[in-house]
Amino acid sequence: MYFWITKVLTTGMGETTSDFLVHRLGPPTAVAVSGIGLVGALALQFRARAYYAPVYWLAVVMVSIAGTVAADVLHVQFGVSYVTSTIFLIFVLAAVFVTWYRSEKTLSIHSIYTTRREWFYWAAILTTFALGTAAGDMTATTMNLGFFTSGLVFAVLIAIPTFAWWRLRMNAILAFWFAYIVTRPLGASFSDWMAVPRSRTGLGWGDGPVSFVLLIVIVALVCFLTIARPDIDEEAAGA
């Protein structure tokens, strides 16, 4: 549960921080800044010999920001519709999963103990963030649902793998990735709803303030995870 709460918060922060950077710095600079941050965070993650909460969640946050910037720039700078980018990214993600499975014979996150598998993992994560951004904006703007209603739609969608795994014995790996993909538009839709002006069906709190509050909450959660280690299977970690 701590993982999923933190994950949804990072998706929300990634959305509003991306919007903040694009509006303040312009798309080219935002791409450069988020790209440098992503490379630095992943370099730290790949140097880690085991899961360490601050390093891992820093990488997730930077993937969230960079993935969002990439999807937004495709739409704003190059005029690619959210429908087109959503469909395209679905195929990209499918290609990542197929290549990963053919190479490693598993998509389980509990089997990631080689560098190659970690590369596949982060490629999948980056694609899910970009896909979730495009899908969330598609439902909110292209389909005219608005950000709050869009968030409710994805809240219902994420309940599907949760219930199916809990009661219907859905494959755990399939349920995980289903839920992981949906967390992106879920968190982004609600953060956009809080940040965008009322003229766009939002609360008008602003990208900067929403990003800052989410950052504080995420830092507090990661500090708790680092100290209390409730997300660590101590027996498995020792092995």
Side-chain angles (χ1 to χ4, degrees):
M1 185 58 68
Y2 290 115
F3 173 87
W4 294 109
I5 291 172
T6 311
K7 172 63 169 61
V8 171
L9 291 172
T10 62
T11 65
M13 180 190 167
E15 178 69 22
T16 52
T17 303
S18 168
D19 291 341
F20 180 83
L21 292 175
V22 169
H23 294 154
R24 299 301 189 281
L25 304 178
T29 306
V31 169
V33 170
S34 62
I36 292 171
L38 174 62
V39 170
L42 287 180
L44 289 175
Q45 172 61 27
F46 274 89
R47 291 188 64 183
R49 304 305 302 168
Y51 166 75
Y52 182 54
V55 173
Y56 174 81
W57 287 111
L58 173 63
V60 172
V61 166
M62 291 313 305
V63 168
S64 176
I65 296 171
T68 304
V69 169
D72 286 343
V73 166
L74 279 176
H75 177 72
V76 175
Q77 289 294 103
F78 299 101
V80 179
S81 71
Y82 288 127
V83 174
T84 301
S85 56
T86 298
I87 295 173
F88 171 72
L89 288 166
I90 287 173
F91 281 103
V92 172
L93 182 60
V96 171
F97 281 142
V98 168
T99 306
W100 182 356
Y101 187 79
R102 285 182 175 178
S103 173
E104 306 300 319
K105 309 305 179 186
T106 180
L107 298 178
S108 171
I109 62 169
H110 300 295
S111 69
I112 301 174
Y113 46 78
T114 68
T115 300
R116 182 166 61 180
R117 291 183 180 183
E118 188 162 9
W119 275 114
F120 279 124
Y121 173 76
W122 288 107
I125 298 308
L126 181 59
T127 309
T128 63
F129 273 98
L131 171 60
T133 299
D137 286 335
M138 179 185 69
T139 56
T141 59
T142 306
M143 299 175 65
N144 296 314
L145 294 181
F147 293 107
F148 182 75
T149 303
S150 181
L152 294 179
V153 168
F154 289 108
V156 171
L157 284 177
I158 202 172
I160 295 174
T162 305
F163 181 80
W165 171 78
W166 180 41
R167 289 298 186 183
L168 304 179
R169 297 187 178 182
M170 182 180 186
N171 178 272
I173 298 173
L174 176 60
F176 173 84
W177 285 112
F178 187 157
Y180 200 101
I181 292 168
V182 176
T183 56
R184 179 66 185 90
L186 172 64
S189 295
F190 282 118
S191 66
D192 268 336
W193 171 63
M194 291 185 284
V196 301
R198 294 182 182 274
S199 59
R200 296 179 57 199
T201 72
L203 297 178
W205 294 350
D207 297 323
V210 172
S211 297
F212 181 74
V213 171
L214 289 174
L215 174 62
I216 296 301
V217 177
I218 291 169
V219 169
L221 270 173
V222 172
C223 288
F224 169 73
L225 295 176
T226 304
I227 297 170
R229 296 166 62 89
D231 55 340
I232 298 292
D233 183 336
E234 298 292 353
E235 183 178 349

